[in-house]
């Protein structure tokens, strides 16, 4: 699973702001403003210039309605798909190389800039949107909330943002869903070496139904009810009272997903663990 992390070296918005600050510093110090040459070279008729315009379209507006802010973010993310990623990477690499040749790179990146957090959120959302591998939706939600609250200048409905982001993940292609499947299995197999038939069936359903969140949720809730019933029966067969109490507490923790909840990786992992518990109780 890909984890989002802002990089000053790759963040187009931050690179531009730092260069502008460096130009001012050079002029005030009566130095040759080499940064000005770099801005002209890399931020005019380049892929960097195109991406910078996307950043600016988000940085230079605020006090939007939430619907307009959402529309703007979606438009920027769609436009980012059209950037030539190979050229963009090469231009960033060459820009950093020339900055290192002209300035002390550590001092250059120490400068504080306005809207650092917003630039970081834009970078992370663009990276997640164009990533070839699965990105943790929690991190996408956090960055999206940060950006939308900047654009609207007021708190946004975080639950609604969460639902929107998760809905997008549900729509992803089967290759991505298989990656999620592998991620869940890998997590689970760090504790257990083999999957039980019930566990395999659950994961198969997860893959086949993930494009239909309602069907998947119904399946999960049905499984939860079945597990609770069997766990209650098996608990009554346990002779040790302390163990009975603990198992009853474990059973009480497991509840069907409510109307507003969506199925997550953790829900699937949770059921896998309950299946393992049932298996152990059956063999006692």
């Amino acid at each position: 699973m890909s984890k989002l992390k802002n990089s000053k070296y790759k963040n187009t918005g931050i690179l531009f702001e730092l260069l502008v600050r460096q130009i001012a510093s050079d002029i005030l110090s009566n130095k040759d403003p080499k940064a000005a040459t770099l801005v002209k070279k890399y931020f005019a008729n380049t892929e960097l210039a195109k991406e910078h315009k996307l950043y600016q379209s988000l940085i230079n507006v605020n006090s939007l309605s939430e619907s307009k802010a959402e529309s703007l973010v979606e438009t920027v993310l769609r436009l980012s798909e059209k950037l030539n990623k190979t050229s963009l990477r090469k231009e960033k690499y060459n820009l950093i190389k020339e900055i290192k040749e002209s300035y002390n790179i550590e001092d250059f990146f120490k400068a504080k800039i306005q809207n650092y957090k917003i630039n970081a959120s834009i970078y992370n959302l663009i990276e997640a949107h164009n990533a070839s591998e699965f990105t943790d939706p929690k991190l996408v939600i956090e960055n999206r909330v940060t950006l939308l609250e900047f654009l609207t200048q007021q708190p946004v409905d975080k639950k609604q943002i969460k639902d929107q982001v998760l809905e997008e993940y549900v729509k992803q292609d089967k290759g991505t869903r298989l990656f999620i499947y592998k991620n869940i299995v890998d997590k689970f197999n760090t504790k257990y070496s083999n999957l039980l038939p019930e566990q395999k069936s659950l994961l198969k359903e997860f893959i086949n139904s993930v494009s239909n969140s309602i069907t998947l949720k119904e399946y999960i809730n049905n499984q939860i009810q079945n597990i609770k019933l069997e766990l209650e029966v098996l608990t009554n067969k346990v002779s040790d009272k302390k163990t009975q109490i603990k198992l009853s507490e474990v059973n009480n923790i497991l509840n069907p997903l409510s109307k507003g909840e969506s199925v997550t990786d953790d829900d699937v992992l949770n059921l896998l663990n309950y299946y393992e518990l049932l298996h152990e109780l059956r063999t006692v």
Side-chain angles (χ1 to χ4, degrees), residues 23-203:
I23 292 171
S25 176
D26 289 345
I27 292 173
L28 290 172
S29 303
N30 292 318
K31 295 179 181 178
D32 177 19
K34 296 177 182 177
T37 303
L38 295 179
V39 169
K40 291 177 182 177
K41 180 177 179 179
Y42 288 98
F43 289 89
N45 300 317
T46 62
E47 291 304 299
L48 260 174
K50 293 175 186 176
E51 186 172 60
H52 181 242
K53 285 182 180 178
L54 297 182
Y55 276 74
Q56 289 299 293
S57 67
L58 293 167
I59 290 287
N60 291 333
V61 295
N62 54 43
S63 300
L64 297 177
S65 67
E66 192 168 330
S67 60
K68 286 185 178 179
E70 280 279 5
S71 178
L72 178 59
V73 171
E74 286 303 317
T75 299
V76 167
L77 293 178
R78 283 197 300 271
L79 289 173
S80 72
E81 298 171 7
K82 299 180 180 180
L83 295 171
N84 185 315
K85 305 302 186 298
T86 302
S87 297
L88 188 60
R89 283 193 298 270
K90 186 176 181 180
E91 288 169 9
K92 287 181 182 180
Y93 175 84
N94 289 333
L95 172 58
I96 294 299
K97 182 181 177 182
E98 291 200 46
I99 290 174
K100 288 180 179 179
E101 291 171 354
S102 302
Y103 301 100
N104 180 300
I105 196 70
E106 291 185 6
D107 291 340
F108 180 85
F109 279 103
K110 277 181 182 177
K112 293 183 178 180
I113 64 170
Q114 280 189 320
N115 295 324
Y116 176 89
K117 190 175 181 180
I118 306 307
N119 275 298
S121 292
I122 296 170
Y123 170 83
N124 287 333
L125 289 174
I126 289 176
E127 287 294 299
H129 185 76
N130 292 283
S132 58
E133 60 183 39
F134 180 70
T135 305
D136 187 345
K138 291 180 182 178
L139 299 177
V140 175
I141 292 166
E142 289 173 8
N143 284 278
R144 198 178 189 94
V145 167
T146 296
L147 184 54
L148 289 173
E149 290 186 341
F150 168 77
L151 292 171
T152 60
Q153 294 294 295
Q154 61 184 6
V156 297
D157 186 343
K158 293 182 181 180
K159 184 182 181 303
Q160 182 180 342
I161 303 302
K162 178 182 177 181
D163 290 344
Q164 290 171 351
V165 171
L166 292 178
E167 188 65 29
E168 286 301 313
Y169 274 75
V170 163
K171 293 176 183 176
Q172 293 186 65
D173 60 35
K174 191 171 182 179
T176 303
R177 299 202 302 271
L178 288 171
F179 183 88
I180 301 172
Y181 170 92
K182 182 179 182 299
N183 180 59
I184 292 174
V185 174
D186 287 346
K187 280 184 182 179
F188 187 77
N189 280 343
T190 58
K191 187 174 181 180
Y192 303 107
S193 56
N194 297 310
L195 291 174
L196 299 167
E198 308 100 298
Q199 293 167 337
K200 290 179 180 178
S201 296
L202 171 61
L203 291 172

